[in-house]
Amino acid sequence: MLGKTRTLLLSAAVLSGALMGSSGGHAETALNALFMSQAAYSEDDVRAMTADFMKEHPDIKVNLEFVPYEGLRDKTLLAQGAGSGFDVVLFDVIWPAEFAQNKVLRDVTDRVTPDMNKGVLPGAWTTVEYSGKRYGMPWILDTKYLFYNTEMLSKAGFSAPPKTWTELQEQAKAIKQKGIVEYPIVWSWAQAEAAICDYTTLVAANQGQFFDSSGKPAFQKGGGLEALTYMLNTEVEGLSNPHSREYLEEDVRRVFSSGQAAFALNWTYMYNLANDPKESQVAGKVGVAPAPGVEGKTEASAVNGSMGLGITTTSKHPDEAWTYITYMTSKPVQEKYARLSLPIWAASYTEPSVTKGQEPLVAAAQKSLGLMFPRPTTPKYQELSTALQQAIQSTLQKSESPEQALQSAAQSAGGL
Amino acid sequence: MSVGWTGVRSWLLLLPLLAVMTLIIGWPLIETVRISFTDARLVGGESHWVGLANFSKVLASPQFHQVLWTTILFVLISVTAEVVLGVLAALLLDQQFVGRSFLRALMILPWALPTVVNATMWRLIYNPDFGAFNALLTQTGLIADYRSWLGETQTALYAVCLADVWKNFPLVALIALAALQSVPRELKAAAIIDGAGPLARFRTVTLPYLAGPLTVAIVLRMIEAFKVFDIIWVMTRGGPANSTRTVSIFVYQEAFSFQHAGTGASAALMVVLISAVLISTYVTMLRRQSEIR
């Protein structure tokens, strides 16, 4: 019996020694990072960047996980709730308030160097800030642009894209009347965050507000109401593709790329994909401009759709995580992968490697990025967004008027 | 004495399983009950005892009434269609013809498909620009233009139901087919000799054998359909304008999107309660059936 125990102990010791030996040899730190596989940088891009990083830092191993945007927030929160999981997470501009309040992300204000502070575009920082603190580094600098089919516009007799939303409506009417395309405008109005981004762009154009200075809902009147009324009007007039009500961004790209729309509102990544003959039937005919403004109010409009990289509070390797984040957001890396997402660095916009071949996009970006309008900064953003999505959808389904729909959304938002 | 020992031994042998089941099923259930009486959030913060506040909040919420109604509609439409189609398919497959075994095997395919795959497939079929469903209906002249079946409040729920029926009617068909095979041939032959028509034969000979197993299938499908989440989440995420939002989606959004673990848990418990009623019906029926036998 004693002999048996001794053998058992001995083999356990040998086994644990072997295990320790195998991990102790490299002194390697393993980081788990969560990204999305949708819009902006492609999965291949992120894998390539990370592989380069690991070559430069052989002591750090980064395990990547990709989820669709729709699952990104829940995955982050649930991993946090379980007390383990990711060291580095990609987060949307609408989440820092919630993530800061629930202590999901680490405050990295002190880690940001003066050089970073100076070099990054001021608008980009708003992506990662809440209550005067920074919870990560901006990484994907993005807003919705107006894409247009240059051939369709010139067929209809227009030499330039619309400067105002009313002008866009007129151009679309002319295109429809001439039979160039049945539904000239395509949007992402599915019951999802995508619809809020389109709506916010229009709210910004109409100088609307989500909340007034006393914190009360204000989107049910003024610019907020005008924005939704505009959406409904283009639908009633048959200018907007009615299927927009079930489209997400990728559907918009597909419809525009197959030549079934003259105008589309979408993120940066669509520019190079719509101009890629392998992906698109309208390659070479894609124009891009800042989203229009409203006469007498604004010259152009933009929504802040940027995303950042942050360190979770549960991470045991915050220093290594920060090394990884600074690498991923560094100027050279961002310039190398500037085809699907434009850099956060001000100086990049004059670099030939960034601008070459996408001059119109960079020109539009230089105007739009300075105008980026935020969605409300509140820890209860998800509830507000869900109420607004419902209001937008019931208006577009014509079951409620814009006034009624926004009024009831404002009521539930007031109770938050 | 020996019976007593057998009893003790059975319990001893069952103990590991019971312990594991208590851990895996019991503990989360108890936790859910506990959380439903608190204002707990999904992440961070302390939780406090709030008594029945969560339950009254959920019960008073017009949104909960709406999702409950949508769920009931979904259950009624899907299960009815599944039963009708399932029985018809079973009657057909009970006949003697060439290729019967192949068809029987083929019919299990939709049921064997993972729900998420089925939902994605139907999303493509319903696609407003290139979907096969639109192509079929326009080419046969039933509709003039391609429609957005999942994007319109009038059609979205029915479209989801159809996808669910396609996947689940084979289960009903299989159960019905098994029951049909237990109908004695002599009985069928006697009915034919007595001059009973097909309908009379179905009503007096087949149906009594079918009724028991079919009720079980109906209750099983009702329980499943009542908890529906995945197929809807993939196809519409509860949209358009919340027209396909069911109770499970409500629970998910409360607990995970809005981080209200407390109200989410209380709504989840109400779903459990309704399921429990259905399950007890199921068990009673099973027992009654075995008594008949």
Side-chain angles (χ1 to χ4, degrees):
Chain A
M1 182 67 198
L2 203 68
K4 256 189 191 169
T5 316
R6 217 178 269 161
T7 322
L8 206 69
L9 278 176
L10 199 69
S11 43
V14 169
L15 195 70
S16 64
L19 283 175
M20 271 161 69
S22 69
S23 65
H26 305 274
E28 194 177 69
T29 308
L31 293 178
N32 294 318
L34 181 65
F35 290 92
M36 66 169 182
S37 50
Q38 188 171 327
Y41 297 116
S42 68
E43 201 174 313
D44 291 343
D45 281 359
V46 178
R47 287 194 189 282
M49 291 175 201
T50 307
D52 289 344
F53 169 78
M54 288 195 286
K55 247 178 248 161
E56 269 185 35
H57 300 83
D59 52 330
I60 304 176
K61 184 178 184 303
V62 187
N63 303 312
L64 299 174
E65 193 168 333
F66 294 86
V67 290
Y69 171 82
E70 275 72 26
L72 192 58
R73 172 186 166 276
D74 294 358
K75 183 106 184 163
T76 307
L77 278 175
L78 290 176
Q80 192 77 3
S84 59
F86 302 104
D87 301 279
V88 175
V89 289
L90 174 66
F91 61 90
D92 200 359
V93 58
I94 46 186
W95 303 334
E98 184 186 24
F99 283 5
Q101 205 184 47
N102 293 309
K103 301 193 175 60
V104 174
L105 291 177
R106 275 174 201 256
D107 175 1
V108 295
T109 319
D110 297 334
R111 289 182 187 262
V112 177
T113 64
D115 280 348
M116 289 174 167
N117 211 6
K118 237 182 15 211
V120 173
L121 288 163
W125 284 117
T126 57
T127 309
V128 296
E129 286 171 342
Y130 177 64
S131 280
K133 284 183 178 153
R134 288 178 180 161
Y135 291 91
M137 274 295 281
W139 186 47
I140 297 167
L141 190 58
D142 218 341
T143 187
K144 286 209 165 184
Y145 298 95
L146 179 72
F147 292 88
Y148 57 96
N149 185 312
T150 49
E151 193 183 59
M152 289 183 186
L153 254 67
S154 64
K155 261 192 205 165
F158 301 109
S159 55
K163 289 255 182 313
T164 65
W165 285 102
T166 318
E167 207 185 322
L168 186 140
Q169 221 169 341
E170 284 157 8
Q171 290 194 1
K173 248 180 230 168
I175 289 169
K176 189 182 173 80
Q177 274 162 8
K178 290 192 175 156
I180 297 168
V181 68
E182 194 181 358
Y183 298 114
I185 322 171
V186 61
W187 315 74
S188 48
W189 288 346
Q191 187 159 336
E193 192 58 35
I196 304 294
C197 294
D198 285 7
Y199 172 70
T200 306
T201 308
L202 281 158
V203 172
N206 285 290
Q207 284 186 328
Q209 275 183 308
F210 282 101
F211 291 95
D212 62 18
S213 50
S214 61
K216 287 202 184 97
F219 51 80
Q220 73 281 23
K221 53 195 177 191
L225 179 60
E226 283 159 23
L228 187 54
T229 311
Y230 180 87
M231 290 163 78
L232 177 66
N233 288 345
T234 64
E235 193 190 63
V236 173
E237 290 168 1
L239 304 177
S240 289
N241 190 323
H243 304 161
S244 296
R245 294 177 302 204
E246 70 164 280
Y247 285 161
L248 290 173
E249 290 91 337
E250 275 294 88
D251 303 298
V252 171
R253 177 167 82 87
R254 190 175 36 72
V255 170
F256 184 82
S257 298
S258 61
Q260 293 177 63
F263 300 105
L265 205 62
N266 211 342
W267 307 107
T268 311
Y269 85 108
M270 184 163 107
Y271 184 72
N272 280 301
L273 290 178
N275 267 321
D276 178 356
K278 272 188 233 139
E279 291 271 343
S280 160
Q281 294 164 33
V282 298
K285 301 169 194 163
V286 181
V288 63
V294 167
E295 211 179 329
K297 286 183 177 171
T298 49
E299 281 186 14
S301 54
V303 55
N304 188 354
S306 306
M307 298 180 91
L309 289 174
I311 312 170
T312 61
T313 48
T314 49
S315 172
K316 293 192 176 72
H317 311 288
D319 294 332
E320 288 85 353
W322 184 249
T323 312
Y324 178 57
I325 290 175
T326 43
Y327 176 85
M328 296 291 275
T329 55
S330 66
K331 194 164 166 282
V333 173
Q334 288 223 306
E335 285 172 359
K336 189 175 167 189
Y337 294 92
R339 298 287 116 177
L340 294 176
S341 182
L342 290 171
I344 55 169
W345 303 89
S348 297
Y349 289 78
T350 48
E351 284 286 335
S353 63
V354 172
T355 55
K356 199 166 170 255
Q358 51 181 2
E359 290 83 359
L361 176 69
V362 173
Q366 277 173 326
K367 190 163 185 188
S368 292
L369 294 177
L371 297 170
M372 289 197 303
F373 188 78
R375 281 164 279 168
T377 316
T378 153
K380 296 202 166 177
Y381 180 77
Q382 294 301 322
E383 282 162 86
L384 173 69
S385 170
T386 306
L388 271 172
Q389 287 170 29
Q390 153 79 4
I392 292 170
Q393 285 252 312
S394 52
T395 302
L396 297 173
Q397 297 283 342
K398 296 168 197 87
S399 46
E400 275 183 299
S401 71
E403 290 87 352
Q404 283 170 333
L406 287 175
Q407 197 66 48
S408 47
Q411 249 165 25
S412 60
L416 291 180
Chain B
M1 181 67 193
S2 69
V3 174
W5 170 235
T6 312
V8 172
R9 199 170 52 178
S10 325
W11 277 107
L12 276 177
L13 286 171
L14 275 174
L15 208 62
L17 179 71
L18 279 178
V20 171
M21 278 179 65
T22 315
L23 220 70
I24 295 175
I25 301 171
W27 185 74
L29 193 68
I30 292 165
E31 267 298 290
T32 311
V33 174
R34 187 187 65 79
I35 291 172
S36 72
F37 292 107
T38 68
D39 59 357
R41 294 179 58 79
L42 189 65
V43 175
E46 286 172 16
S47 59
H48 310 93
W49 180 262
V50 292
L52 288 167
N54 288 330
F55 290 90
S56 55
K57 192 177 144 196
V58 169
L59 282 175
S61 149
Q63 286 199 25
F64 186 71
H65 301 160
Q66 200 208 336
V67 297
L68 200 60
W69 174 239
T70 309
T71 314
I72 291 170
L73 261 183
F74 177 83
V75 173
L76 288 178
I77 298 170
S78 303
V79 177
T80 311
E82 281 157 22
V83 169
V84 172
L85 273 178
V87 170
L88 287 177
L91 286 171
L92 198 71
L93 290 175
D94 195 38
Q95 307 299 314
Q96 292 284 351
F97 59 90
V98 182
R100 185 175 75 157
S101 311
F102 175 72
L103 267 186
R104 280 184 180 178
L106 193 71
M107 205 190 51
I108 308 174
L109 269 184
W111 186 59
L113 219 57
T115 313
V116 174
V117 176
N118 180 49
T120 313
M121 192 182 77
W122 277 92
R123 261 193 77 144
L124 291 174
I125 292 174
Y126 286 133
N127 187 288
D129 302 306
F130 56 77
F133 194 65
N134 274 315
L136 178 78
L137 294 183
T138 43
Q139 280 163 25
T140 49
L142 287 172
I143 55 169
D145 289 313
Y146 275 32
R147 285 183 64 176
S148 170
W149 301 99
L150 296 173
E152 291 169 28
T153 41
Q154 300 90 334
T155 53
L157 186 66
Y158 303 109
V160 175
C161 283
L162 181 60
D164 187 68
V165 169
W166 185 81
K167 179 174 159 46
N168 287 313
F169 90 88
L171 174 73
V172 183
L174 280 181
I175 295 176
L177 188 60
L180 284 178
Q181 281 163 2
S182 66
V183 181
R185 298 212 169 274
E186 313 82 69
L187 223 58
K188 284 191 208 167
I192 293 173
I193 292 165
D194 286 347
L199 266 180
R201 283 208 305 274
F202 176 75
R203 205 161 42 85
T204 53
V205 179
T206 316
L207 201 57
Y209 281 89
L210 211 53
L214 210 55
T215 330
V216 172
I218 292 172
V219 177
L220 264 181
R221 278 304 308 140
M222 278 175 80
I223 295 168
E224 281 286 307
F226 198 81
K227 297 185 301 185
V228 65
F229 178 83
D230 38 11
I231 195 167
I232 294 184
W233 193 246
V234 175
M235 287 181 77
T236 61
R237 296 171 57 82
N242 287 350
S243 59
T244 57
R245 198 175 176 217
T246 56
V247 179
S248 295
I249 290 181
F250 175 87
V251 170
Y252 174 77
Q253 287 182 324
E254 272 299 304
F256 297 105
S257 299
F258 309 156
Q259 291 209 45
H260 300 155
T263 38
S266 61
L269 280 180
M270 286 185 230
V271 179
V272 171
L273 195 73
I274 298 170
S275 300
V277 173
L278 292 174
I279 292 169
S280 64
T281 322
Y282 169 63
V283 173
T284 320
M285 276 167 180
L286 269 186
R287 202 168 289 162
R288 199 177 300 160
Q289 239 187 299
S290 60
E291 274 165 18
I292 290 169
R293 279 184 192 159

